[in-house]
Structure formats: structure tokens, C-alpha cells
Amino acid sequence: AMTNVGTRPTVTDERVLRIESHILNKTFNMYGKTIRVRPVERLRPERAFAGVDALRAQLSKDREQVATLLAQKMGVYKHGAL
């Protein structure tokens, strides 16, 4: 999974700390469920982007980096089940 711990400065002015995990290569309805998240490595600091499109572009790059990182560090296949 790819996880953000922060305040989502691109989409809101509220400074409420949130934790959001995006499970890669799977489609699940996880709302309201309890999961365990284990940090592996920090990719980058949180920052405000010029808009949602710029944020989505960066998240796409982050997703590729996370998939590669998990493949290297944990033996998870880049395009397999995570």
C-alpha cells in the first residue's frame, strides 16, 4: 500500500491530520474496516500542489516508486498481488 500521513494541503485548508492508505493492484471496499499498516520507507514530504491534476500526476509517480520499492525490499511482484 501507499500511505499518506498528513493534512492534504492541496484539497483542503483544514489542518486535520489524516492517514490514508491506497492498496496497490487490488480493488477492495475498505471503508470502515480496520487494517494494519507497516511503514517501509518514506518517499517524500507532503506538500501543496498547484491543483488536483498535479497531485494526481505525482501520485502516479509515487505509485510506481512504491511498487518498485516493495518489489525490492519485500519480494512483492511489481505487477502482482500486494
Side-chain angles (χ1 to χ4, degrees):
M2 173 170 84
T3 299
N4 177 61
V5 178
T7 60
R8 303 172 12 161
T10 302
V11 297
T12 184
D13 290 330
E14 294 178 16
R15 294 296 168 229
V16 176
L17 186 64
R18 297 175 188 269
I19 301 171
E20 298 176 315
S21 291
H22 303 271
I23 298 172
L24 309 178
N25 298 331
K26 291 286 184 183
T27 303
F28 295 105
N29 181 355
M30 298 299 291
Y31 287 98
K33 306 278 191 218
T34 300
I35 64 169
R36 289 184 185 185
V37 177
R38 181 176 61 136
V40 174
E41 186 172 308
R42 185 173 187 222
L43 295 183
R44 62 177 175 82
E46 183 176 56
R47 70 179 188 92
F49 290 88
V52 175
D53 288 338
L55 172 61
R56 285 187 182 130
Q58 181 61 54
L59 290 175
S60 180
K61 293 175 187 176
D62 292 347
R63 178 182 294 271
E64 285 300 314
Q65 189 176 354
V66 166
T68 299
L69 179 73
L70 290 175
Q72 292 171 347
K73 291 200 172 198
M74 302 182 72
V76 176
Y77 294 105
K78 186 171 179 180
H79 297 289
L82 297 178

